[in-house]
């Protein structure tokens, strides 16, 4: 029987019949106990050392499998499938291909085109890759012009192509398998791009009571995981049950974790079976467990659940993707998938980093306004992160919250995840989203920002693009508020959401910065502009920024204020003029000296 298994297995892994015959001759010689020359036998039978190593590995696998099967108890499949869990995917077939796409490890991130937001300023883009293949484009959106003698022109920071990838970060897709359809086990890596609180507490925290427990938007839209419904499965054999229990996955723990996820946006978009898979991945990642069986046979379902998990949980900074192992039936179908996270830090280092980040987090949260008006809370976090974060493509951990909370330097993924983390801590529902961003010169790249719920309505917020990289003479950051509580229509001028998940309608303008601050111009009303100048001087602000409802209003206001010089009637002091135009959003910023 052993000989039949070995012969069959060698055939499956690519070794031909002569290799097997030579192998049996070798066994016979060794069995006789005679004085033999192994090298001579190998040469005479044309057996390479690689083949011998493969055979040795095969014997070890068979021996391990025999031990596993003795503990496994009743199998799910028929007796014909008794070898389905053996790993027969060896390198006898020397031509197997591996698909390794890691933007962090040297693959080309071909996103270096200029963002050129105006005639004079170059804006480069950041192509941050997310686990679903998403990349993040960082483009500063302001155009600055100056008039008059001794009028200083501010320049934007350049934003270059980021060689780092989740949604999320480094895309690391690896097929660790040959092309043999009958191989029983296949390893696959898939990474995130990458993922509101401390590891064991916040990842288990219940946010369902945030915002007074108001319901999420109607989730009657088609679920993204509907196509995977047939792939979801349960387990009743002892071997699989013990494997899952090793990671703390039981019926009771699944039910408890599901209750704790209520209120998370991406989680709410899944079917019940998809939610089960989501919390299984969460539990495995929190334990940093390896090769744990999950309740789907479809790798695409794992990808979706992982993407959604990382959209909801920015506190998970120690995972850079995942891999899975396929366990096949003897018919070539997938019987089970075993999931392992790609862990960048062990649990001790995770705890160490969480402790170090806590100082930043506590300081930030302590300064948050105590108010029931969530607009001021959202604006506080937007302003705080911009004032305390520097855009830097070379920042370590720039796809997660560590880059912001430990180093104060990051790219768009870090801005978005830090915004989400802090707002969630303050009871504001905020989700990490990805999509395409137009760099202003006819091309676009992948980018990350946030969906935030403020005073009962949904808005978009892009802290990265709010950070102009420019400071005033007193050292304060010059903030672009076009991307604070923006509508879908306003964002769609230069942002396009991914279709990986469905989003709520974002049409309300009541908490738009310009509406809340009375800076929204429905007509080119110079009386309103004069009042705004007086208010900003009185408050000590360094700018007057207005947003126009239409392009006609924008053009007319620009013509009157800048070209015709009406702005000099409202300037105080030396009346030097420095201004920035945001043509794509119909916004004019005039800097006060």
């Amino acid at each position: 029987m052993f000989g039949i298994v070995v012969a069959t297995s060698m055939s499956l892994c690519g070794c031909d019949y002569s290799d097997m015959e030579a192998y049996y001759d070798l066994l016979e010689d060794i069995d006789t106990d005679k004085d033999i020359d192994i090298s001579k036998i190998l040469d005479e039978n044309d057996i390479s050392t690689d083949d011998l190593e493969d055979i040795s590995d095969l014997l070890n696998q068979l021996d391990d499998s025999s031990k596993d099967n003795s503990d496994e108890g009743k199998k799910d499949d028929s007796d014909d499938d008794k070898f389905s869990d053996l790993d027969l995917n060896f390198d006898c077939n020397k031509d197997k291909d591996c698909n390794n796409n890691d933007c962090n490890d040297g693959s080309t991130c071909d996103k270096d085109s200029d963002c050129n937001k105006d005639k004079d300023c170059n804006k480069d883009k950041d192509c941050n890759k997310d686990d679903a293949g998403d990349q993040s484009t960082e483009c500063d959106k302001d155009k600055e012009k100056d008039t008059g003698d001794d009028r200083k022109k501010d320049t934007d920071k350049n934003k270059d192509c980021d060689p780092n990838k989740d949604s999320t970060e480094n895309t690391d897709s690896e097929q660790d398998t040959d092309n043999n359809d009958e191989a029983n086990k296949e390893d696959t890596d898939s990474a995130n791009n990458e993922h509101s609180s401390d590891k064991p507490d916040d990842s288990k925290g219940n946010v369902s009571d945030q915002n007074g427990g108001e319901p999420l938007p109607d989730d009657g839209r088609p679920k993204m995981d509907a196509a995977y419904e047939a792939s979801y499965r349960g387990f009743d054999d002892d071997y699989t049950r013990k494997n899952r229990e090793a990671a703390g996955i039981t019926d009771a723990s699944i039910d408890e974790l599901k209750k704790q996820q209520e209120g998370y946006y991406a989680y709410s978009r899944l079917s019940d079976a998809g939610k089960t898979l989501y919390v299984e991945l969460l539990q495995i990642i929190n334990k940093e467990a390896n090769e744990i069986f999950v309740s789907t046979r479809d790798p695409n379902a794992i990808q979706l659940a992982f993407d959604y998990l990382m959209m909801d949980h920015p506190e998970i900074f120690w995972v850079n993707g995942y891999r899975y192992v396929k366990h096949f039936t003897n018919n070539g179908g997938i019987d089970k998938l075993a999931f392992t996270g790609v862990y960048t830090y062990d649990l001790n280092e995770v705890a160490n980093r969480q402790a170090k980040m806590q100082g930043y987090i506590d300081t930030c949260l302590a300064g948050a306004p105590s108010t029931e008006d969530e607009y001021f809370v959202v604006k506080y976090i937007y302003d705080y992160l911009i004032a305390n974060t520097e855009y830097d493509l070379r920042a370590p951990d720039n796809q997660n919250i560590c880059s912001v909370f430990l180093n104060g330097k990051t790219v768009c993924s870090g801005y978005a995840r830090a915004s989400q983390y802090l707002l969630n801590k303050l009871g504001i529902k905020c989700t990490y989203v990805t999509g395409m961003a137009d760099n202003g010169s006819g091309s676009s790249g992948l980018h990350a920002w946030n969906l935030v719920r403020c005073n009962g309505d949904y808005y978009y917020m892009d802290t990265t693009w709010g950070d102009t990289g420019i400071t005033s003479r007193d050292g304060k950051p010059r903030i672009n508020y076009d991307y604070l509580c923006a509508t879908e229509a306003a964002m769609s001028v230069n942002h396009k959401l991914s279709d990986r998940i469905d989003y709520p309608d974002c049409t309300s303008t009541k908490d738009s910065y310009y509406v809340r601050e009375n800076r929204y111009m429905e007509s080119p009303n110079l009386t309103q502009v004069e009042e705004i100048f007086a208010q900003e001087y009185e408050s000590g602000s360094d700018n007057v920024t207005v947003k126009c409802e239409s392009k006609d209003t924008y053009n007319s206001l620009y013509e009157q204020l800048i070209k015709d010089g009406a702005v000099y009637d409202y300037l105080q002091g030396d009346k030097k003029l420095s201004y920035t135009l945001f043509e794509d959003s119909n916004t004019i910023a005039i800097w006060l000296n």
Side-chain angles (χ1 to χ4, degrees), residues 125-286:
K125 42 177 180 174
D126 154 33
C127 48
N128 256 346
K129 290 196 96 175
D130 201 8
D131 111 82
D134 287 335
Q135 294 176 338
S136 300
T137 299
E138 307 298 349
C139 301
D140 216 5
K141 307 302 285 186
D142 41 344
K143 172 160 67 171
E144 176 136 348
K145 297 181 181 179
D146 295 303
T147 60
D149 297 337
D150 302 322
R151 294 168 188 163
K152 179 179 176 295
K153 178 177 180 178
D154 294 318
T155 58
D156 290 327
K157 62 185 175 185
N158 289 328
K159 299 185 175 178
D160 303 317
C161 179
D162 183 8
N164 298 315
K165 165 186 83 76
D166 53 155
S167 243
T168 55
E169 308 178 355
N170 301 321
T171 295
D172 178 10
S173 183
E174 180 178 335
Q175 292 284 344
D176 200 14
T177 179
D178 60 27
N179 293 325
N180 191 334
D181 290 337
E182 295 184 58
N184 294 93
K185 199 168 157 186
E186 178 181 294
D187 292 330
T188 303
D189 284 351
S190 181
N192 149 39
N193 225 288
E194 100 246 51
H195 294 298
S196 63
S197 36
D198 295 340
K199 184 185 167 206
D201 294 331
D202 294 308
S203 57
K204 298 177 182 179
N206 188 342
V207 298
S208 60
D209 291 332
Q210 292 179 358
N211 291 337
E214 295 179 26
L216 289 162
D218 173 34
D219 63 354
R221 302 174 180 86
K223 301 290 194 305
M224 294 296 291
D225 66 333
Y228 313 134
E229 197 67 31
S231 77
Y232 294 120
R233 59 164 303 171
F235 300 102
D236 57 11
D237 62 283
D238 289 340
Y239 174 73
T240 305
R241 178 178 56 79
K242 290 178 181 178
N243 168 278
R244 287 160 62 82
E245 286 178 350
I249 299 176
T250 64
D251 290 343
S253 69
I254 287 173
D255 290 342
E256 181 61 26
L257 281 170
K258 280 185 170 182
K259 291 177 184 177
Q260 294 167 3
Q261 303 314 301
E262 293 299 330
Y264 285 105
Y265 184 82
Y267 175 81
S268 76
R269 320 318 283 171
L270 294 167
S271 66
D272 187 63
K275 290 175 179 178
T276 297
L277 178 59
Y278 174 112
V279 300
E280 288 174 349
L281 302 188
L282 175 60
Q283 180 68 11
I284 294 168
I285 287 169
N286 279 338

